[in-house]
Amino acid sequence: MRAKYQGLLDLGESLNIKNGDVQEENGILKVWGTTNTPYEKNLLWDKIKEIGGENPTDIIADIKVADDSVYHRHVVKSGETLGKIAIQYYGKASKYHDIFKANSDILKNPDIIHPDQELIIPNL
């Protein structure tokens, strides 16, 4: 089972999951841990479904979230715009308004963001 879900385990490691562990028992992989944000939890569930299908029967996951007050915290990379960031998290560029409003303390213009700024991606 570990080999089948290795992509999930690698993702968990890259996300720096806290209190995480994995056990294999009677052909079922049991995984648990705590992500930083709901977005990271969703990434893990998406990976589980990608590997095991919509309702996998060979894995049990208990994934908690440390901070659910925001959807995610995003560090701006060179070339990004609020529209591109909105597409990444919400699938719609028009949601950039929500990101701008959530960061009005550090952003004065939605067209001007800088690399290395940490933006709050709000829960919708």
Side-chain angles (χ1 to χ4, degrees), residues 50-121:
E50 175 188 317
I51 295 169
E54 195 62 35
N55 294 302
T57 58
D58 56 357
I59 186 168
I60 296 172
D62 182 10
I63 304 167
K64 294 179 176 33
V65 176
D67 179 8
D68 61 3
S69 67
V70 300
Y71 187 57
H72 195 58
R73 297 181 186 279
H74 178 87
V75 177
V76 177
K77 297 173 201 69
S78 180
E80 286 187 316
T81 65
L82 288 183
K84 286 180 183 177
I85 294 168
I87 289 170
Q88 177 181 344
Y89 293 102
Y90 305 126
K92 292 182 177 180
S94 62
K95 295 289 185 186
Y96 82 89
H97 293 289
D98 296 297
I99 298 171
F100 179 68
K101 278 192 259 179
N103 293 279
S104 62
D105 58 329
I106 61 170
L107 300 178
K108 302 306 171 210
N109 182 331
D111 296 324
I112 301 174
I113 60 174
H114 303 285
D116 299 323
Q117 281 180 311
E118 183 178 273
L119 302 179
I120 291 170
I121 308 302

Side-chain angles (χ1 to χ4, degrees), residues 10 13-14 21 25-27 30 40 51 54 78 96 120:
D10 293 343
E13 190 173 311
S14 74
D21 204 356
E25 194 175 295
N26 299 324
K30 296 179 179 182
E40 291 179 352
I51 295 169
E54 195 62 35
S78 180
Y96 82 89
I120 291 170

